[in-house]
Amino acid sequence: MIFSRAAQQFDEAAEHYEQAARRLDEVVEHGDACVRAVFAGCEQLQWRSPAAQAFTALTFHHVEQCRRRQSRALEMSVAARVIAADLREQAHLARLLALAVDAAEQALPAMAAEGHREQLIHGARGASQSAKGFLDFVESCGGLPLAHLAAADR
């Protein structure tokens, strides 16, 4: 099987997105600890003092801001995981293309060389060199040309 650098690049990018999602999850978890610490600070004030009133107002503001950040971090974490899943799917498709190219190349010498199939195989082989090349190739073909490559081994 040919080495698919495209699949490797997709997998590496997916792992980076997974790591980002895990870090964002940690932000959400640590936000709860920060909110608890703010409320723990309330216990050390005399509630009838002007400082207590200011602290209460500020506390609600900080807690509200913290909750917004947690919500946004959670949204970003989910989005990162969706992107990672999409990248892993592209890696899978790049591996399928590499397998189809291998099969077609093995069958090519046994058949009369057809310019279109040979060109398709050459393009598919080039597509395995980078994630961008893979995406460009798939777009130019209107999808993975697995049926055309499979026809090469008949």
Side-chain angles (χ1 to χ4, degrees), residues 24-34 36 70:
L24 288 164
D25 290 342
E26 289 175 10
V27 168
V28 172
E29 290 174 23
H30 291 300
D32 287 334
C34 291
R36 284 191 299 276
Q70 283 180 292

Side-chain angles (χ1 to χ4, degrees), residues 58-117:
L58 193 59
T59 298
F60 285 116
H61 174 74
H62 283 297
V63 169
E64 183 179 273
Q65 292 299 315
C66 183
R67 294 290 185 219
R68 281 191 191 134
R69 283 189 294 272
Q70 283 180 292
S71 177
R72 182 67 184 128
L74 187 58
E75 289 172 10
M76 290 169 45
S77 172
V78 169
R81 283 194 169 84
V82 168
I83 292 169
D86 287 346
L87 289 166
R88 292 201 194 288
E89 176 64 20
Q90 292 301 318
H92 173 72
L93 294 176
R95 285 186 188 90
L96 281 178
L97 180 62
L99 288 170
V101 168
D102 275 350
E105 282 183 333
Q106 289 173 8
L108 195 59
M111 56 179 269
E114 291 182 33
H116 175 69
R117 285 193 186 129

